Amino acid sequence: MTQRKIAKIVQVKTGNPVLRDFAEPVPLEEIKSAKIKNIIDSMKNALAREEEGVAIAGPQIGEPWRIFVVSKKIFQLLDNSKIDANTEKFEDLVFINPEITKLSKEKEVMEEGCLSVRDYYGKIKRSMKASVRAYDENGNVFERGGSRLLAQIFQHEIDHLNGILFTDTAKDVQKIEKHGKK
């Protein structure tokens, strides 16, 4: 039995430049490769271990690829009446080489945090609706739209892929440690 390497989430305080670099597109012929599948599995596992994490980008586990995963946990937070047939299964969503295709002009100031900037939260202005075109784990192109929290996640994760952290533009950034944490 092979032992799976457990991915650690890269923290800003470690100074790892992967968080500030523009992530590389995954070559289309490599999407279904063992290498990319292992990276996606590592991302899913790292995200599943995080109580408050709802999404993760490749650079956050030290992988410089344009990939992000949205946790199935997010759909449990959303109003069930607004969940379409594609999300009722509550599967993690994988976005490879994502591109934002549409952002609403309507924006809202939202509270935001990040797994790579632990315990810091701030207010950031994000479009209330966003659409993303990407490839799935099988190399199929798809487009997915989202509003409010899901739109915020799309924008936050694509920022990661472009080397941008939420703290670069957020206002009122404060350290808020969780109760019981040492």
Side-chain angles (χ1 to χ4, degrees):
M1 179 164 72
T2 60
Q3 199 170 23
R4 185 179 301 236
K5 181 181 167 190
I6 296 176
K8 293 198 185 269
I9 295 174
V10 176
Q11 299 289 301
V12 168
K13 65 184 172 189
T14 65
N16 190 323
V18 73
L19 291 172
R20 290 301 191 171
D21 291 340
F22 191 87
E24 294 294 321
V26 176
L28 298 184
E29 64 274 8
E30 289 185 32
I31 287 176
K32 294 196 273 184
S33 70
K35 173 184 171 182
I36 298 302
K37 286 190 182 298
N38 285 337
I39 290 169
I40 292 168
D41 284 346
S42 292
M43 293 171 70
K44 287 179 178 181
N45 290 331
L47 188 55
R49 288 191 314 270
E50 295 296 328
E51 186 178 319
E52 294 186 12
V54 292
I56 194 166
Q60 290 183 275
I61 63 160
E63 296 291 346
W65 299 105
R66 294 190 77 76
I67 303 170
F68 74 83
V69 175
V70 177
S71 173
K72 58 188 170 189
K73 292 183 277 190
I74 188 65
F75 302 111
Q76 295 163 348
L77 298 173
L78 299 174
D79 180 357
N80 284 335
S81 65
K82 295 179 183 173
I83 296 176
D84 62 32
N86 293 329
T87 60
E88 286 179 341
K89 298 175 191 170
F90 296 128
E91 296 292 328
D92 291 333
L93 299 179
V94 176
F95 295 76
I96 301 171
N97 298 340
E99 296 176 14
I100 292 179
T101 58
K102 189 187 257 186
L103 289 173
S104 67
K105 290 180 184 175
E106 187 178 3
K107 296 184 183 229
E108 181 175 67
V109 174
M110 304 171 168
E111 190 78 23
E112 196 161 302
C114 181
L115 295 172
S116 291
V117 189
R118 294 273 181 194
D119 302 326
Y120 286 87
Y121 298 87
K123 295 181 174 140
I124 190 164
K125 190 179 261 190
R126 299 277 191 194
S127 292
M128 290 183 63
K129 293 182 182 178
S131 294
V132 175
R133 182 180 308 120
Y135 291 89
D136 66 15
E137 294 172 88
N138 299 309
N140 300 313
V141 175
F142 70 98
E143 189 152 343
R144 175 73 193 217
S147 60
R148 298 198 179 269
L149 181 57
L150 195 53
Q152 180 182 13
I153 290 168
F154 291 164
Q155 293 165 81
H156 179 102
E157 298 310 322
I158 289 178
D159 279 353
H160 268 300
L161 300 179
N162 295 333
I164 300 167
L165 297 173
F166 90 96
T167 52
D168 294 342
T169 55
K171 305 286 186 221
D172 301 324
V173 176
Q174 297 179 25
K175 185 169 186 168
I176 302 172
E177 292 195 30
K178 301 297 175 193
H179 295 290
K181 193 172 177 184
K182 295 180 182 178

